[in-house]
Amino acid sequence: MKSFKCICIFLFLIFALPIRANFILLPMDEVAQKNHLKAYGITYWALDKQYKASWLLNYRGGSFLLPDAPEIRKECQIRNVSFEILSDTEANQILEEISSPSQNMETVVLEKAPKIAVYTPKGKQPWDDAVTMVLTYAEIPYKEIYDEEVLSDQLILYDWLHLHHEDFTGQYGKFFGAYRNAPWYIEQKKEAEALAAKLGYSKVSEEKLAVAKKIRDFVIGGGFMFAMCSATDSFDIALSAEGVDICEPMFDGDESAANYQSMIDYSRTFAFKDYILERRPERYEFSNIDMTEKRKIPFERDYFTLMDYSAKWDVIPSMLCQNHTQLVKGFMGQSTSFDSELIKSNVMVLGKCELNDEARYIHGQKGKGFFTFYGGHDPEDYQHRVGDEPTVLDLHPNSPGYRLILNNVLFPAARKKKQKT
């Protein structure tokens, strides 16, 4: 009788104890996650702490699976990130569901926290650029670099590079028409000329081309480059105009080359082809790549759709399109969107506006590396203007537009599978 009683107590204790949880799920669907943006920061933090992680493509909005550890739970609570505790059995059931050939899902192993650099002028405030803003908000560490660091080959220290809203053509952002007499424009032009001279170049356009070529080589060698707004088209334009003076006298002190359009070499570009450059210095436009003045889309209908790729066959575009919604509200910038007819055939369109077929979000491979171009300035500021108040991301913790930026930040962490198509 005594022996029977002991057995009963033992069995009671076994079943009364909680089952040990082995995994933490960061759900990324619309309902369950309180802060999508900081969830990326948690995943980056875990990788940086040498924890293993998996990205569950198309499972509940692209959720993250992490090992269960007290410090990860604590970090989620501190950052107000929603998480769910899974037993080993529950996690295996999810992974089995994802692996089924009938499901458009895939598990991608995240191996390491990428080293991140942001190419940005000294003294720029974080709110001048959506990427630095969301990196700061998500608590993902990055280093600021600029021309001196790039030209001294310091890009080899990093895995991922973001290009701030830069003008690589040496035309000072084409702000001449509206801001030529503004103190900030005069000062920025003076600073750019001084930096070019310090680095041994007689013109800003020549120095910016040298920077663009270093960045090009970084990508070809296996780096990951992400650019928004004017850094997208001006980067390609600078590469295509190597050896050709496309700057008018107010930018570089001498006349541009006669008939320079005929000298543009599109074979040197990453993404764009057959574009026509804007010669007029007073126009706030580099070329006809940008759709800002051509799109004629009312604010209330300005959305773009993320493409639906096969997670098992097209892993890379699937990673970059992970979101809790397929429809993302549009936003403007100097380069708002891209004319689809001017995009090279080997470049993938990840997001486009169905109303006029413009491309908003594109991706491609160059050499051993990858690049992503994202049109617009700030996903939560529809028409950002010079001097506008900064976006407060505490008000937009679930922003689909900002999620696309962070998809790119984690992209280099993934163990790549060869793309099938």
Side-chain angles (χ1 to χ4, degrees):
M1 184 70 180
K2 186 176 180 182
S3 176
F4 176 77
K5 187 176 180 180
C6 288
I7 292 172
C8 288
I9 294 172
F10 176 73
L11 291 173
F12 172 79
L13 290 173
I14 288 177
F15 288 107
L17 289 172
I19 298 172
R20 185 179 181 277
N22 293 306
F23 293 94
I24 290 175
L25 180 76
L26 304 185
M28 297 295 278
D29 51 313
E30 188 170 9
V31 176
Q33 183 52 256
K34 290 181 293 189
N35 196 315
H36 288 90
L37 305 186
K38 285 187 180 288
Y40 287 90
I42 290 289
T43 305
Y44 186 97
W45 177 88
L47 291 171
D48 199 42
K49 294 283 187 179
Q50 308 302 313
Y51 286 106
K52 294 180 181 179
S54 292
W55 200 347
L56 311 182
L57 304 186
N58 292 346
Y59 178 78
R60 295 180 63 183
S63 300
F64 299 105
L65 189 65
L66 307 172
D68 185 21
E71 63 175 341
I72 296 179
R73 291 195 194 194
K74 182 179 179 182
E75 202 65 29
C76 288
Q77 291 165 345
I78 291 171
R79 302 192 194 188
N80 197 33
V81 171
S82 306
F83 65 97
E84 299 171 10
I85 306 301
L86 303 179
S87 68
D88 184 64
T89 301
E90 290 171 324
N92 283 332
Q93 288 174 344
I94 290 172
L95 295 176
E96 285 178 16
E97 177 189 353
I98 290 171
S99 66
S100 170
S102 66
Q103 299 294 329
N104 184 22
M105 302 178 187
E106 184 63 296
T107 301
V108 173
V109 176
L110 301 179
E111 297 183 303
K112 66 168 187 173
K115 292 182 174 61
I116 298 171
V118 173
Y119 172 83
T120 182
K122 302 295 188 288
K124 281 288 183 181
Q125 298 300 318
W127 53 81
D128 290 329
D129 174 57
V131 174
T132 51
M133 198 154 52
V134 77
L135 288 172
T136 301
Y137 180 75
E139 300 179 58
I140 296 175
Y142 63 91
K143 292 288 187 182
E144 291 187 357
I145 62 172
Y146 202 49
D147 294 354
E148 290 178 272
E149 289 82 1
V150 172
L151 293 175
S152 60
D153 294 319
Q154 292 185 38
L155 287 180
I156 61 171
L157 302 174
Y158 305 98
D159 303 303
W160 190 86
L161 173 68
H162 165 57
L163 306 184
H164 185 276
H165 305 284
E166 187 70 27
D167 172 9
F168 289 96
T169 69
Q171 298 176 91
Y172 309 104
K174 295 297 289 284
F175 283 114
F176 177 80
Y179 297 103
R180 73 188 84 177
N181 296 318
W184 64 264
Y185 177 86
I186 296 169
E187 184 62 27
Q188 284 185 10
K189 185 174 184 292
K190 186 186 302 182
E191 289 174 356
E193 290 169 345
L195 179 59
K198 177 184 176 182
L199 295 172
Y201 296 89
S202 59
K203 294 183 179 182
V204 171
S205 58
E206 294 172 354
E207 188 256 330
K208 289 298 180 185
L209 172 63
V211 170
K213 289 168 68 176
K214 286 286 187 180
I215 294 171
R216 175 201 63 192
D217 295 344
F218 163 76
V219 177
I220 290 173
F224 299 79
M225 183 186 81
F226 179 82
M228 288 186 72
C229 202
S230 62
T232 57
D233 46 358
S234 75
F235 178 80
D236 261 12
I237 290 169
L239 292 177
S240 69
E242 180 177 358
V244 182
D245 188 346
I246 64 171
C247 295
E248 301 305 327
M250 66 285 298
F251 300 128
D252 68 353
D254 59 23
E255 296 292 335
S256 61
N259 196 26
Y260 63 61
Q261 180 65 51
S262 64
M263 306 178 204
I264 299 302
D265 186 351
Y266 303 110
S267 69
R268 294 173 175 161
T269 67
F270 277 32
F272 304 114
K273 64 176 183 178
D274 303 335
Y275 45 82
I276 305 300
L277 300 183
E278 176 53 64
R279 295 192 70 113
R280 290 169 289 180
E282 68 276 4
R283 284 206 68 218
Y284 183 56
E285 195 66 89
F286 293 103
S287 73
N288 63 339
I289 294 171
D290 176 42
M291 293 287 291
T292 301
E293 295 181 2
K294 297 182 286 184
R295 54 203 311 265
K296 310 300 181 187
I297 297 174
F299 167 77
E300 61 275 8
R301 300 183 66 194
D302 197 352
Y303 286 84
F304 64 95
T305 304
L306 297 176
M307 301 296 97
D308 188 17
Y309 287 96
S310 167
K312 288 182 171 61
W313 288 78
D314 294 314
V315 178
I316 290 173
S318 293
M319 274 191 284
L320 298 180
C321 288
Q322 289 303 290
N323 224 309
H324 50 282
T325 176
Q326 201 172 359
L327 200 62
V328 182
K329 64 182 180 181
F331 54 100
M332 300 182 74
Q334 181 173 14
S335 300
T336 298
S337 53
F338 317 118
D339 189 326
S340 295
E341 293 184 359
L342 303 180
I343 297 174
K344 291 184 173 182
S345 60
N346 62 331
V347 175
M348 306 182 79
V349 175
L350 304 181
K352 69 176 183 178
C353 178
E354 301 291 351
L355 294 179
N356 64 354
D357 204 42
E358 68 182 12
R360 294 297 308 248
Y361 183 43
I362 62 177
H363 173 77
Q365 184 168 359
K366 190 74 170 177
K368 296 179 180 179
F370 300 89
F371 65 91
T372 302
F373 290 167
Y374 191 15
H377 185 91
D378 184 335
E380 294 298 336
D381 184 350
Y382 183 72
Q383 195 169 6
H384 184 86
R385 299 182 183 277
V386 175
D388 280 1
E389 290 295 314
T391 298
V392 179
L393 283 179
D394 275 325
L395 302 177
H396 309 283
N398 310 106
S399 169
Y402 270 102
R403 273 198 69 177
L404 298 179
I405 297 173
L406 294 175
N407 285 343
N408 283 269
V409 172
L410 283 188
F411 173 47
R415 182 187 298 163
K416 303 300 180 299
K417 293 184 179 181
K418 189 173 181 181
Q419 202 160 302
K420 308 281 179 31
T421 59

